[in-house]
């Protein structure tokens, strides 16, 4: 039997007339319509010469058409590669050289880039698709194509998509995700979050990332849910949809921004069943504030491009702020000593170690990077996530941060999260990031970058006064810098690499 994720999805559709997408203008796209559109997409790609196993780059803006393009690729057995449309031509050329795609579908908003690619590489590299799915050369091909296309059979281990990691250190790596990876993870999440055809999800995430595509979209597809499909996040817009929706899948910044809006209260969220957060750490204080304002608790989960979602706080059962919950069924999570690599016990005040994971959700390796792939796994197929953490006595995973962000100062290890939590608890602090920057005497110097709440006069001295009481001397910042905002990526993750670069000279 084919294990094409496309077959997995379509075999579950009970009523093709059910709405799948609800667009901001109120119009609806049904499950049946998206199947038809995906058939047209597959035929249009085939006309460009795309065959099974060929890569297709989707450099397109978020739209229903972009999801149909993704499904069209799966349907024809091609490998889908979504890219952020904020990439420049130079960046795009890197991905094209690396992935060697057979076709690149560009946004109509990027006519110069599309033309440059077409001139340099050929027609199939500069086809364009608009968000209305009507404008652009590829949209024209799609309109003329038949919707009937026999989906190609796939084995579970065949590659469905390549997602590039953000590459904050070194060049981006293409994580190869199989049809099995997509199916098992979406199914596990559907069950863990009790998603069903009664759910209406507010989708305000980008779809070039695992969160928006393989979590939010795939889970909805398998559950038969509906999605209110928004081009991007806006706190007021999302708030306005809460009375009609049941689930929000978001990143922590969504919740921070919505909390700033006075409209947010328990009445507004009465229809909501679940608020989910991931892709970056949710501060325990945000969790608490959210509970106070809405009488609902956010479900925090943890995952990454290479593995899909690994752990989640339970829907039924205790949601513990500051933790990312328990492993999903089928996922093994262990913590190993960073030096000896021995597995550490789970217990109260457990030692922080490397988070390693194993399961059918874990990717097949990095595209054309055998060495990097080998380095990423321990014997026994455990993937080394690069994240540090511990499992507490209840079995809940706590994340301490990325290993590369640990600061080694005067021979001592400082975990930034520990210092950040202390700073964030100070009255008048909105948020903070702690990084290590080169230091003549200590190797690395702990540097705290702090955003103050509006109209608050908080001085360096005030911060030091509190920190000195709460943390050991070697963990104290060597320097405190106040700033207006922290640099974040499209998923709202604080860019520590950027901060290290920016403040390197300031230490
Ligand atoms: P990405 O591959 O872009 O999805 O980034 C994955 C990384 O985001 C993980 O390795 C973690 O460092 C971080 N991450 C994801 N979810 C969480 C979370 N709930 N709490 C803390 N960090 C997270």
């Amino acid at each position: 039997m084919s294990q094409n994720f496309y077959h997995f999805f379509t075999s579950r559709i009970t009523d093709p007339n059910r709405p799948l997408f609800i667009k901001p203008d109120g119009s609806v796209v049904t499950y049946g319509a998206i199947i038809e559109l995906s058939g047209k997409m597959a035929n249009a790609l085939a006309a460009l010469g795309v065959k099974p196993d060929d890569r297709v780059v989707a450099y397109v803006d978020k739209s229903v058409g972009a999801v149909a393009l993704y499904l069209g690729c799966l349907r024809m057995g091609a490998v889908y590669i979504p890219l952020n449309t904020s990439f420049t031509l130079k960046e795009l050329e890197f991905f094209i050289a690396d992935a060697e795609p057979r076709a690149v579908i560009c946004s109509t908003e990027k006519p110069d880039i599309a033309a440059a690619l077409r001139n340099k590489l050929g027609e199939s590299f500069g086809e364009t698709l608009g968000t209305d799915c009507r404008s652009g050369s590829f949209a024209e091909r799609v309109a003329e194509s038949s919707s009937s296309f026999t989906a190609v059979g796939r084995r579970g281990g065949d590659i469905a998509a390549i997602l590039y990691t953000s590459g904050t250190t070194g060049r981006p790596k293409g994580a190869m995700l199989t049809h099995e990876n997509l199916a098992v993870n979406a199914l596990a999440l559907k069950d863990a979050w009790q998603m069903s055809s009664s759910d209406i999800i507010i989708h305000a995430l980008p779809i070039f990332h695992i969160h928006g595509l393989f979590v939010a979209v795939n889970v909805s597809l398998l559950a038969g849910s509906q999605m209110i499909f928004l081009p991007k996040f806006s706190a007021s817009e999302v708030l306005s949809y809460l009375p009609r929706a049941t689930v929000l899948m978001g990143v922590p910044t969504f919740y921070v921004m919505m909390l700033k809006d006075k409209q947010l209260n328990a009445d507004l969220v009465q229809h909501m069943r679940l608020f989910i957060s991931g892709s970056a750490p949710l501060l325990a204080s945000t969790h608490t504030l959210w509970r106070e304002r809405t009488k609902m608790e956010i479900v925090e989960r943890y995952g990454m491009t290479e593995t899909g979602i690994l752990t989640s706080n339970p829907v039924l059962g205790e949601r513990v702020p500051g933790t990312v919950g328990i492993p999903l069924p089928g996922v093994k999570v262990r913590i190993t000593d960073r030096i000896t690599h021995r597995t550490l016990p789970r217990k109260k005040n457990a030692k922080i170690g490397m988070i390693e994971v194993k399961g059918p959700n874990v990717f097949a390796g990095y595209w054309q990077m055998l060495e990097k792939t080998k380095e990423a796994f321990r014997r026994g197929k455990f993937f080394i996530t690069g994240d540090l953490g511990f499992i507490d006595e209840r079995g809940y995973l706590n994340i301490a941060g990325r290993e590369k962000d640990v600061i080694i100062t005067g021979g001592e290890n400082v975990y930034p999260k520990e210092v950040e939590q202390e700073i964030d608890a100070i009255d008048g602090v909105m948020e903070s990031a702690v990084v290590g920057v080169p230091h003549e005497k200590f190797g690395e110097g702990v540097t705290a970058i702090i955003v103050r709440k509006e109209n608050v006069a908080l001085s360096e001295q005030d911060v030091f006064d509190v920190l000195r009481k709460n943390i050991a001397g070697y963990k104290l910042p060597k320097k405190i810098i106040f700033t207006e905002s922290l640099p974040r990526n499209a998923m709202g993750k604080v860019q520590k690499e950027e901060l290290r670069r920016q403040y390197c000279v300031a230490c």
Side-chain angles (χ1 to χ4, degrees):
M1 207 181 95
S2 166
Q3 291 182 48
N4 191 328
F5 183 77
Y6 176 81
H7 282 127
F8 198 61
F9 154 51
T10 50
S11 65
R12 290 166 174 271
I13 300 176
T14 48
D15 176 7
N17 295 322
R18 272 185 62 74
L20 169 57
F21 293 104
I22 303 164
K23 298 207 260 182
D25 64 7
S27 63
V28 156
V29 180
T30 62
Y31 275 79
I34 205 75
I35 295 298
E36 271 194 23
L37 192 53
S38 77
K40 284 170 166 279
M41 293 273 175
N43 277 313
L45 288 171
L48 289 176
V50 177
K51 298 191 182 58
D53 296 320
D54 280 347
R55 272 83 51 213
V56 173
V57 166
Y59 177 65
V60 293
D61 298 305
K62 181 177 177 181
S63 68
V64 167
V67 177
L69 177 60
Y70 156 59
L71 291 172
C73 284
L74 296 185
R75 190 164 172 173
M76 71 181 312
V79 177
Y80 184 71
I81 308 182
L83 291 177
N84 187 343
T85 50
S86 66
F87 286 140
T88 62
L89 176 60
K90 189 167 169 230
E91 287 165 323
L92 199 51
E93 281 177 336
F94 160 81
F95 293 110
I96 293 171
D98 190 64
E100 298 175 336
R102 184 68 192 83
V104 178
I105 312 300
C106 295
S107 159
T108 44
E109 299 294 312
K110 305 279 177 181
D112 296 349
I113 290 183
L117 291 178
R118 201 165 41 237
N119 290 340
K120 201 164 159 186
L121 301 168
E123 200 184 3
S124 68
F125 291 81
E127 290 283 310
T128 53
L129 178 69
T131 51
D132 57 0
C133 210
R134 276 193 284 272
S135 51
S137 57
F138 188 67
E140 279 168 30
R141 284 180 185 274
V142 169
E144 286 159 12
S145 299
S146 156
S147 60
S148 112
F149 189 100
T150 307
V152 172
R154 296 275 91 179
R155 290 181 306 251
D158 287 338
I159 308 301
I162 296 176
L163 256 58
Y164 279 88
T165 58
S166 49
T168 42
T169 49
R171 69 182 189 84
K173 300 189 284 275
M176 297 187 286
L177 293 155
T178 66
H179 286 266
E180 184 189 11
N181 291 155
L182 303 192
V184 293
N185 207 229
L187 205 55
L189 289 171
K190 175 186 101 57
D191 292 343
W193 294 337
Q194 304 185 337
M195 299 286 301
S196 74
S197 56
S198 337
D199 278 312
I200 302 175
I201 296 151
I202 302 180
H203 192 305
L205 294 159
I207 54 167
F208 54 76
H209 187 269
I210 172 191
H211 194 166
L213 190 60
F214 298 148
V215 182
V217 170
N218 281 0
V219 171
S220 305
L221 295 179
L222 295 193
S225 313
Q226 300 177 38
M227 283 180 273
I228 298 174
F229 211 57
L230 306 174
K232 61 180 177 23
F233 173 78
S234 126
S236 56
E237 200 179 7
V238 168
L239 285 171
S240 75
Y241 284 112
L242 291 178
R244 315 172 34 186
T246 62
V247 176
L248 175 67
M249 293 194 194
V251 292
T253 5
F254 284 16
Y255 296 100
V256 172
M257 300 299 285
M258 285 191 284
L259 275 165
K260 286 186 185 164
D261 197 309
K262 289 197 174 61
Q263 286 180 70
L264 180 74
N265 58 31
D267 284 343
L268 197 70
V269 305
Q270 259 183 25
H271 195 251
M272 291 293 289
R273 185 174 71 78
L274 218 48
F275 289 100
I276 303 171
S277 175
S279 290
L282 180 81
L283 295 182
S285 56
T286 309
H287 184 100
T288 310
L289 275 178
W290 189 268
R291 188 179 51 210
E292 282 167 10
R293 282 277 285 284
T294 65
K295 310 286 175 264
M296 287 188 74
E297 286 187 327
I298 299 171
V299 169
E300 185 172 9
R301 58 61 172 178
Y302 159 68
M304 59 198 307
T305 305
E306 288 93 332
T307 64
I309 304 309
L310 295 159
T311 67
S312 174
N313 270 281
V315 167
L316 301 173
E318 198 185 354
R319 300 175 194 172
V320 183
T323 81
V324 292
I326 52 179
L328 293 175
V331 178
K332 287 200 178 100
V333 178
R334 71 180 185 194
I335 309 291
T336 58
D337 186 281
R338 284 168 64 205
I339 315 287
T340 65
H341 303 164
R342 286 224 184 89
T343 304
L344 295 168
R346 60 183 59 186
K347 57 175 185 182
K348 206 170 177 183
N349 300 323
K351 193 173 157 193
I352 289 173
M354 176 60 72
I355 302 171
E356 299 185 1
V357 300
K358 183 177 171 175
N361 53 304
V362 175
F363 75 138
Y366 294 112
W367 169 252
Q368 290 187 329
M369 284 181 147
L370 260 180
E371 273 313 303
K372 290 262 182 253
T373 302
K374 265 196 221 155
E375 285 166 18
F377 287 87
R378 294 238 196 268
R379 247 191 274 144
K381 286 200 171 166
F382 270 89
F383 173 65
I384 308 162
T385 62
D387 289 319
L388 300 176
F390 65 92
I391 300 177
D392 63 24
E393 73 280 16
R394 294 161 300 197
Y396 282 61
L397 180 65
N398 293 249
I399 311 267
R402 301 286 298 162
E403 185 183 41
K404 65 179 170 49
D405 292 332
V406 171
I407 305 164
I408 305 174
T409 182
E412 301 275 6
N413 282 349
V414 175
Y415 296 101
K417 189 176 173 189
E418 193 192 346
V419 186
E420 286 161 2
Q421 277 173 336
E422 292 296 338
I423 298 176
D424 293 343
I426 298 173
D427 239 4
V429 171
M430 178 126 108
E431 57 177 354
S432 66
V434 168
V435 294
V437 302
H439 191 286
E440 232 177 40
K441 190 165 160 206
F442 296 101
E444 278 188 301
V446 178
T447 303
I449 297 107
I450 301 177
V451 181
R452 284 176 283 217
K453 285 190 180 141
E454 258 172 59
N455 305 321
V456 168
L458 185 77
S459 71
E460 239 178 85
Q461 197 52 50
D462 298 333
V463 177
F464 276 123
D465 287 346
V466 179
L467 291 185
R468 266 200 203 95
K469 281 188 240 153
N470 295 342
I471 54 175
Y474 72 91
K475 297 179 192 169
L476 283 175
K478 297 279 177 295
K479 190 160 188 88
I480 290 176
I481 296 156
F482 290 105
T483 182
E484 295 296 307
S485 62
L486 297 174
R488 293 181 188 276
N489 70 4
M491 302 308 292
K493 208 170 335 214
V494 174
Q495 298 298 279
K496 293 212 160 167
E497 194 58 31
E498 171 69 32
L499 287 171
R500 280 190 281 267
R501 249 197 315 270
Q502 212 173 327
Y503 295 110
C504 193
V505 285
C507 196

